[in-house]
Amino acid sequence: MTSIHSRSRHRGAVLTAVLALAATAVVVSPAPAQAAPGDLLCPDSNGYAVFEPPLQSGVTSTVTAHVSTNNPTPCHSPNGSHPELAWYDEAVNGTATVSGVVDGGGICNLLFTIAGTGSLTWSDGTTSDDEITFQTDPAKPKTLGGSATITRGTLQGDTVTFAEGVITPNTDCATAGLSRLDFHQATNTFS
């Protein structure tokens, strides 16, 4: 014959086991997707931007630009997540706004910001869209830096940072305004 205490201990053990099992069955929502560090490094980006009308103090211009990494130095994936992406071509549309003038320095003596959107076509045939911001740095007015966020498609959610290469404005920009900006050997990092 089983005692009352024995049945109580048995029920207590069963209840403890059921609670332990229930605790392990709790479903935890996964963390939101985040960009993996070092998804892609494109070490040799080249391109140009055209400003219409030419950008100068007091003027806001439309910007069309083209960026390409399709050259002898391919992109590579430091974390191994995207070895299929060797290069991309990008078309950019946006606006440029002057925030100040720097006498004797800067790109055409201007401090400005470019904001726009781009459409990328990758070497494997996939596509992406991004939102871009470039700006001159008041502390280093002859430089142009910026970043982008991939909003759709391949590498969605990644942030792109741009390390400046060689920048060449149109030769008459100090007097006629900035109508064209060419750049070479820039580095783009996707993470």
Side-chain angles (χ1 to χ4, degrees):
M1 181 179 244
T2 348
S3 74
I4 295 176
H5 294 303
S6 172
R7 279 189 276 177
S8 292
R9 278 193 302 246
H10 179 68
R11 283 186 192 148
V14 170
L15 183 58
T16 301
V18 168
L19 289 175
L21 183 59
T24 60
V26 172
V27 177
V28 178
S29 298
Q34 293 185 358
D39 281 344
L40 200 64
L41 176 67
C42 298
D44 194 9
S45 174
N46 301 295
Y48 62 86
V50 175
F51 301 84
E52 181 61 44
L55 189 61
Q56 49 194 322
S57 185
V59 172
T60 297
S61 299
T62 60
V63 180
T64 54
H66 180 260
V67 180
S68 181
T69 61
N70 189 2
N71 55 58
T73 309
C75 301
H76 66 278
S77 182
N79 66 11
S81 63
H82 293 282
E84 74 282 6
L85 301 178
W87 55 265
Y88 69 89
D89 284 321
E90 180 174 17
V92 177
N93 292 294
T95 58
T97 307
V98 175
S99 59
V101 177
V102 181
D103 289 332
I107 298 171
C108 301
N109 299 332
L110 301 173
L111 297 176
F112 60 90
T113 300
I114 299 171
T117 57
S119 296
L120 296 82
T121 301
W122 295 94
S123 57
D124 68 348
T126 61
T127 61
S128 301
D129 291 336
D130 62 2
E131 294 179 358
I132 303 164
T133 303
F134 281 105
Q135 64 277 330
T136 49
D137 182 348
K140 297 180 274 180
K142 293 186 179 186
T143 64
L144 184 63
S147 64
T149 301
I150 304 294
T151 57
R152 185 193 65 77
T154 300
L155 296 175
Q156 182 174 346
D158 270 20
T159 296
V160 188
T161 53
F162 307 104
E164 171 191 323
V166 177
I167 294 176
T168 308
N170 52 293
T171 55
D172 62 347
C173 80
T175 55
L178 181 60
S179 60
R180 185 178 172 105
L181 190 62
D182 291 283
F183 60 91
H184 308 281
Q185 303 166 345
T187 299
N188 303 334
T189 304
F190 295 73
S191 56

